[in-house]
Amino acid sequence: MGISCTSENRTLIVKITGEIDHYSANDIKNKTDKEYKRLNSKNILFDLSNVTFMDSSGIGVIMGRYKNAAANGGKVAAVSINENIKKIFELSGLFKIIKYYENPEKALKEFSFGR
Amino acid sequence: MNYNNEMMMKFKGIPENERFARASTAIFISPLNPTLSELNDIKTAVSEAVTNAIIHGYENNPGEVFMGCTIKSNTVYIKIEDKGKGIENIEKAMSPLYTTKPDLGRSGLGFTVMESFMDKINVSSEIGKGTIVEMTKTIQNEST
């Protein structure tokens, strides 16, 4: 699992590659929380375009980050084109509070600029 | 296709083995020629069951996890067992979003994923003795 964070207009863009499970979830949590603070972010965009596997541990990670961002007046979105990841999101009911995009460019445009 | 096969493995209940468990299951069932979606459903369900064994069954004292897989024609039977602390209330544990570990950032969706992604699931548990999760899924792919 690889993770890289960048920031644009107070939106932290967390790009994850590889597999998200209970084993890799802790690294994702720690790195995201650290960078969120360090870069004085408000929103978080999870770019999961290069994630090949995700189980419910990933949902736990995103739910937790949503709580932090919401407490800070921010929003959370996710990008993925993977049908299986979409299926887990649907099951979790997270679509009600987290915007889901299938196109990374569109997500960046709509989500990070002034919204 | 009339293909029958079975395997049984035992591994240490540490997080590093979650990936090992689902990847080896995927390889084992590959002769059935599952679709990518079916394969991912099974891998995800295995990952959830093994994660439960590690986090809840053994908590911080890793014990042995037993995983068996049987293929009978187009149906896959998977059994994942731990000898850990057991589940007090299975019905409660299986209800969506219920978790005993919110502090660890768990979603409480493990059993919901297993139930939705597999055709059938059966959970039996005894306090202090451990938990057994049995799941089945029939591969629909017509090319098999």
Side-chain angles (χ1 to χ4, degrees):
Chain A
M1 190 276 303
I3 174 169
S4 69
C5 297
T6 50
S7 181
E8 257 180 66
N9 296 330
R10 294 195 71 201
T11 293
L12 183 71
I13 301 151
V14 184
K15 200 172 167 69
I16 302 166
T17 52
E19 303 193 326
I20 306 179
D21 62 3
H22 160 240
Y23 176 61
S24 61
N26 263 343
D27 278 354
I28 301 170
K29 276 182 219 166
N30 294 340
K31 179 104 194 249
T32 305
D33 291 350
K34 202 175 120 203
E35 293 298 288
Y36 184 81
K37 258 195 198 148
R38 189 178 74 83
L39 297 164
N40 188 28
S41 313
K42 189 177 165 198
N43 307 312
I44 306 173
L45 175 63
F46 284 98
D47 185 348
L48 310 176
S49 310
N50 293 309
V51 171
T52 50
F53 174 87
M54 183 175 108
D55 65 17
S56 75
S57 306
I59 296 297
V61 170
I62 293 169
M63 272 166 71
R65 291 339 95 195
Y66 171 79
K67 279 179 199 157
N68 296 347
N72 196 23
K75 290 191 260 181
V76 173
V79 183
S80 173
I81 43 163
N82 184 316
E83 276 302 310
N84 291 89
I85 293 179
K86 192 175 176 185
K87 213 164 142 183
I88 296 222
F89 264 96
E90 273 167 354
L91 202 63
S92 73
L94 273 190
F95 283 156
K96 286 182 204 130
I97 49 170
I98 285 165
K99 190 133 196 207
Y100 187 84
Y101 296 94
E102 293 188 354
N103 177 334
E105 289 78 30
K106 194 176 170 213
L108 258 182
K109 223 185 230 167
E110 276 192 26
F111 190 69
S112 84
F113 293 97
R115 289 176 199 229
Chain B
M1 187 171 81
N2 195 15
Y3 174 71
N4 298 313
N5 198 357
E6 59 183 308
M7 66 96 157
M8 180 79 197
M9 56 164 74
K10 180 181 90 177
F11 52 87
K12 195 173 174 186
I14 53 172
E16 286 83 343
N17 282 334
E18 292 156 8
R19 185 181 193 188
F20 167 71
R22 61 180 183 263
S24 34
T25 306
I27 294 168
F28 185 73
I29 63 171
S30 63
L32 295 182
N33 199 15
T35 62
L36 207 57
S37 168
E38 288 167 332
L39 193 65
N40 238 297
D41 285 354
I42 293 173
K43 276 174 76 180
T44 312
V46 166
S47 199
E48 301 291 353
V50 171
T51 302
N52 275 353
I54 294 170
I55 301 185
H56 300 286
Y58 292 122
E59 292 192 306
N60 295 318
N61 302 302
E64 289 168 332
V65 179
F66 302 84
M67 184 170 88
C69 188
T70 303
I71 296 171
K72 274 186 199 154
S73 192
N74 275 357
T75 302
V76 180
Y77 302 82
I78 297 168
K79 183 176 173 184
I80 291 162
E81 182 175 2
D82 68 66
K83 309 274 188 203
K85 70 170 193 179
I87 302 170
E88 218 174 275
N89 185 334
I90 294 177
E91 205 185 324
K92 207 170 168 188
M94 289 182 80
S95 57
L97 300 171
Y98 175 81
T99 178
T100 52
K101 304 228 183 289
D103 49 316
L104 290 184
R106 305 299 308 166
S107 64
L109 286 171
F111 279 124
T112 309
V113 167
M114 290 181 242
E115 276 182 313
S116 325
F117 287 16
M118 302 294 280
D119 297 339
K120 232 194 276 173
I121 170 172
N122 183 54
V123 183
S124 49
S125 190
E126 207 178 318
I127 294 293
K129 292 254 170 84
T131 300
I132 301 173
V133 176
E134 290 163 292
M135 307 182 279
T136 63
K137 190 176 181 76
T138 299
I139 302 300
Q140 305 292 346
N141 195 354
E142 283 173 8
S143 64
T144 51

